[in-house]
């Protein structure tokens, strides 16, 4: 029973933090809240092969695929430059 509660809470959490991706891609917001279907839809939004959904099920590979998928979604939504995130801001000293 605790496992089912954990799965429901996890699905609600993931849906809450990602439903804007679905709406921005002209998908329905409810698709973000269905546990395996949301991964399938994200793979389709990123225009990647369907077998990527199965790669999410492999323990260590799933974490790596999540990072890769976020990178792919940045490209789909035209956030191509991440230089401003990785470089520290350069400040000139006050004279």
């Amino acid at each position: 029973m605790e496992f089912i509660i954990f799965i429901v809470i996890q699905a609600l959490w993931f849906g809450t933090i990602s439903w804007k991706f679905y709406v921005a891609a002209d998908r329905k917001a409810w698709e973000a809240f269905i546990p395996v279907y949301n991964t399938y839809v994200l793979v389709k939004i990123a225009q990647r092969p369907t077998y990527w959904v199965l790669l999410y099920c492999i323990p260590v590979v799933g974490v790596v695929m999540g990072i890769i998928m976020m990178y792919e979604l940045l490209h789909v939504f035209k956030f191509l430059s991440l230089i401003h995130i990785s470089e520290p801001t350069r400040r000139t000293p006050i004279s």
Side-chain angles (χ1 to χ4, degrees), residues 35-47:
V36 177
Y37 182 66
N38 61 8
T39 306
Y40 172 76
V41 172
L42 268 182
V43 168
K44 290 302 171 190
I45 291 172
Q47 301 166 352

Side-chain angles (χ1 to χ4, degrees), residues 3-47:
F3 182 72
I4 293 172
I5 294 171
F6 174 75
I7 295 297
V8 169
I9 291 172
Q10 185 180 15
L12 289 174
W13 175 254
F14 183 78
T16 304
I17 63 174
S18 66
W19 68 274
K20 291 245 182 195
F21 281 122
Y22 294 84
V23 173
D26 295 329
R27 303 294 298 214
K28 304 285 188 216
W30 63 264
E31 293 176 327
F33 294 93
I34 309 298
V36 177
Y37 182 66
N38 61 8
T39 306
Y40 172 76
V41 172
L42 268 182
V43 168
K44 290 302 171 190
I45 291 172
Q47 301 166 352

